[in-house]
Amino acid sequence: MGTIATGGNWRRGWLFGLGWMVMAGAIATAIWLVATARWQPLWQQLDRWQQMPPMWLAVPMVAGKFLVAWAIALTVGLWLITQVFPEPTPRSRVVVVGILWVLALRYVLWRATSTLILDPPGVAGLSLGLFALEMLVLGNGMLQMLLLVRTRDRREEADAHGAVVRSGAYTPTVDVLIPTYNEPAFMLRRTVIGCQAMDYGPKTIYLLDDTRRPEIQALAAELGCEYLTRPDNRHAKAGNLNHAIAHTHGELVVCFDADFVPTRNFLERTVGFFQDERVALVQTPQSFYNADPVARNLGLENILVPEQEVFYRQIQPARDGTESVVCAGTSFVLRRQALQAVGGEFVTQSLSEDYFTSVRLSRRGYRLVYLDEKLSAGAAPDDMAAQATQRLRWARGTLQAFFISENPLTQPGLGLWQRLSHLNGILHWFSSLSRAVFLVGPLVYAFADVVPVRATLPELLFFFLPQYLATWVTFGWLSYRTRSLVISEIYDVVLCFPLALTVLQTLWRPFAKGV
């Protein structure tokens, strides 16, 4: 516990790295085969087949208007469903996502059988590489849509549980932990007062000061909360929380980041779920009282919700449906007994201690619950530098999964849907590699006069446009029309190059400082 991966864990990590090397070698071998004269006839024949696709994949002319009609009907039908059901319901989700999958599979078949250029060798390598990267993004996006079908809403459960808590029939003791490193005193004052104002009896508030500042100790004394510190900063936030857990005794542990202020009914809405002994954690959304830097720079701060809220509005409810909710590091409630059963502390092997602690709890059979109610608010990053630092840390921490024991893709105790959900989250970071290549791709055409895709404008309109429009409508509908696909792409593009570099660096040196 609490050490960097060794032994079997490192072997798993290096096996993963070896897998990447094998994949790269396979791609290099494929390019070599394309370039080898002995195999030229085969690749030339495959290229000719690409130029003669099946009739059912050909762009319909006058004689094939029916083929156009059904594609238009599916796209329009999907849009109509989103208008009839302004808010997604379980059945409407299934129908909309099913239509989107049909259109996506249609597009993939067209790309695989009609658009690849397999001769000459240099162009073939670019064409196949671009196709693989595009399928990575599209495939992970469609996996996410499939997972969204299983979205769960627990607000009615919270109503019933809240009544039990308010009546006094179930009131376990609660330790409220506020870890801080260098946040200013005025911010901590606001958070402590907010925690004190929560409507709940048996609670104790602890200010966990990892910088051992006299003014913070004085603040704790002034406000009447407990003050805890430690002699070093080992393992950063995870170490701070672990130190506090070892020196507290409440049945439940609540954590708020230094800038997050809870609503008065936070504990009333969450504590009742722990009447079920199998529940180990209840996570609530992170919401923000200021605009993120991208929205502010675009002048859309009064229109767009902060980017992180998309995760809490779409992804976490779907994770709840697949029993793969992840702890988000703040605004959560944890059962102390469950944490003790899996080692008694947060995972310290990775930067993402909250994520991998969730995996550890899930694989031991505990339930992790997501309550989609905004019960706290905090500060979004102030500028692009802070936002980039945050995202790069998340990427690095998540990808360290391949080198520690809590890898959700390989460890026993997790079901298929849970693994698919975690796979979707991990592949999200790899999509930055694809986007970086997509942005650089036009330069290849501009300077080398190489076009790696064989497609005409009618073909793009027939195969790509319906699939893109359907994705656009579905994305906005599933995010309750608070987000658009275009805006989300802007966010992804802004950070794709530093994220792509971080992905590669992490795979090469997962625990190097400064990566």
Side-chain angles (χ1 to χ4, degrees):
M1 295 294 298
T3 59
I4 291 178
T6 57
N9 302 336
W10 269 109
R11 283 195 292 272
R12 278 188 291 272
W14 286 115
L15 283 173
F16 173 76
L18 179 63
W20 271 85
M21 294 173 62
V22 170
M23 185 177 69
I27 294 174
T29 301
I31 296 174
W32 175 79
L33 288 174
V34 172
T36 303
R38 178 181 176 184
W39 296 94
Q40 280 295 300
L42 172 62
W43 288 100
Q44 289 172 353
Q45 180 60 43
L46 291 174
D47 189 63
R48 284 193 291 270
W49 286 344
Q50 286 282 321
Q51 299 178 55
M52 297 182 294
M55 286 298 296
W56 56 275
L57 274 178
V59 176
M61 296 300 141
V62 177
K65 289 183 179 179
F66 173 75
L67 294 177
V68 176
W70 78 265
I72 294 176
L74 285 177
T75 308
V76 173
L78 183 147
W79 176 80
L80 287 174
I81 293 172
T82 63
Q83 299 304 305
V84 174
F85 299 95
E87 291 194 3
T89 63
R91 290 185 178 179
S92 62
R93 283 179 185 273
V94 172
V95 175
V96 168
V97 172
I99 292 175
L100 185 59
W101 262 77
V102 170
L103 292 172
L105 289 174
R106 171 177 173 269
Y107 173 76
V108 170
L109 287 173
W110 169 68
R111 279 286 280 124
T113 61
S114 304
T115 66
L116 301 178
I117 300 176
L118 303 178
D119 187 58
V123 179
L126 290 174
S127 184
L128 290 170
L130 182 65
F131 176 72
L133 291 173
E134 184 182 359
M135 292 303 105
L136 170 63
V137 174
L138 180 60
N140 197 46
M142 296 313 299
L143 173 58
Q144 179 178 319
M145 292 297 176
L146 181 63
L147 295 170
L148 287 172
V149 171
R150 301 175 66 91
T151 293
R152 182 176 291 169
D153 187 346
R154 295 189 182 271
R155 286 175 291 184
E156 290 187 3
E157 289 182 59
D159 292 338
H161 294 320
V164 175
V165 174
R166 286 192 301 273
S167 71
Y170 181 72
T171 55
T173 55
V174 174
D175 291 331
V176 181
L177 308 183
I178 307 171
T180 175
Y181 181 70
N182 58 4
E183 291 81 7
F186 77 87
M187 181 180 292
L188 291 168
R189 176 185 296 273
R190 181 174 56 197
T191 301
V192 171
I193 292 174
C195 291
Q196 290 174 328
M198 289 190 293
D199 294 326
Y200 192 80
K203 67 178 185 293
T204 306
I205 299 168
Y206 294 85
L207 196 52
L208 316 180
D209 183 16
D210 236 10
T211 44
R212 299 165 289 281
R213 293 171 286 173
E215 64 270 26
I216 303 305
Q217 186 174 10
L219 175 67
E222 175 192 345
L223 297 178
C225 69
E226 302 295 325
Y227 177 82
L228 285 179
T229 188
R230 56 187 180 136
D232 57 49
N233 302 114
R234 192 163 181 253
H235 300 309
K237 180 182 176 181
N240 196 4
L241 290 174
N242 289 338
H243 176 265
I245 288 170
H247 290 80
T248 56
H249 308 284
E251 297 170 73
L252 303 179
V253 174
V254 179
C255 181
F256 293 106
D257 281 348
D259 59 341
F260 269 79
V261 180
T263 59
R264 294 179 63 94
N265 64 341
F266 181 92
L267 292 174
E268 285 186 356
R269 299 294 290 174
T270 55
V271 166
F273 284 96
F274 291 91
Q275 295 173 89
D276 182 350
E277 292 293 331
R278 298 172 299 164
V279 172
L281 181 140
V282 175
Q283 178 66 58
T284 66
Q286 292 184 23
S287 57
F288 304 91
Y289 47 74
N290 63 313
D292 63 47
V294 175
R296 190 166 58 249
N297 290 337
L298 292 174
L300 301 174
E301 60 267 38
N302 295 324
I303 299 174
L304 294 179
V305 298
E307 179 223 3
Q308 288 175 244
E309 292 199 19
V310 176
F311 174 78
Y312 296 101
R313 188 179 289 269
Q314 288 187 353
I315 308 303
Q316 281 280 49
R319 284 183 173 274
D320 197 14
T322 58
E323 301 293 339
S324 55
V325 170
V326 295
C327 178
T330 184
S331 308
F332 67 86
V333 188
L334 173 68
R335 187 190 300 274
R336 183 185 296 271
Q337 184 180 2
L339 187 64
Q340 291 173 341
V342 297
E345 62 179 20
F346 284 86
V347 171
T348 57
Q349 298 166 290
S350 166
L351 292 174
S352 297
E353 74 285 337
D354 43 11
Y355 175 61
F356 292 109
T357 301
S358 305
V359 173
R360 183 177 285 176
L361 290 166
S362 293
R363 56 182 288 228
R364 287 291 295 270
Y366 284 105
R367 294 179 57 213
L368 282 68
V369 169
Y370 179 67
L371 176 59
D372 191 9
E373 290 185 10
K374 293 183 177 182
L375 298 174
S376 63
D382 291 327
D383 51 40
M384 283 306 303
Q387 178 144 329
T389 299
Q390 184 185 66
R391 298 305 187 275
L392 299 182
R393 185 179 184 277
W394 291 348
R396 183 184 171 203
T398 303
L399 294 178
Q400 285 172 343
F402 296 115
F403 303 91
I404 66 175
S405 60
E406 279 73 27
N407 185 348
L409 304 183
T410 61
Q411 288 303 296
L414 297 177
L416 175 62
W417 283 104
Q418 290 173 304
R419 295 187 193 280
L420 287 175
S421 185
H422 289 297
L423 174 65
N424 179 244
I426 291 173
L427 289 180
H428 166 75
W429 300 111
F430 285 96
S431 65
S432 61
L433 297 171
S434 298
R435 288 187 171 87
V437 172
F438 295 160
L439 290 175
V440 174
L443 297 177
V444 177
Y445 171 73
F447 292 100
D449 195 25
V450 173
V451 180
V453 178
R454 179 186 288 115
T456 64
L457 179 59
E459 289 174 331
L460 288 172
L461 293 175
F462 183 56
F463 290 102
F464 172 75
L465 187 60
Q467 184 269 335
Y468 183 79
L469 290 177
T471 303
W472 189 357
V473 171
T474 303
F475 185 90
W477 181 62
L478 291 175
S479 60
Y480 299 88
R481 296 180 173 83
T482 61
R483 203 75 173 179
S484 78
L485 184 62
V486 173
I487 293 296
S488 291
E489 288 292 337
I490 291 174
Y491 277 85
D492 291 335
V493 166
V494 165
L495 293 177
C496 70
F497 286 106
L499 277 174
L501 181 60
T502 297
V503 169
L504 296 175
Q505 289 178 323
T506 303
L507 294 177
W508 181 250
R509 300 178 64 197
F511 301 104
K513 292 184 178 180
V515 175

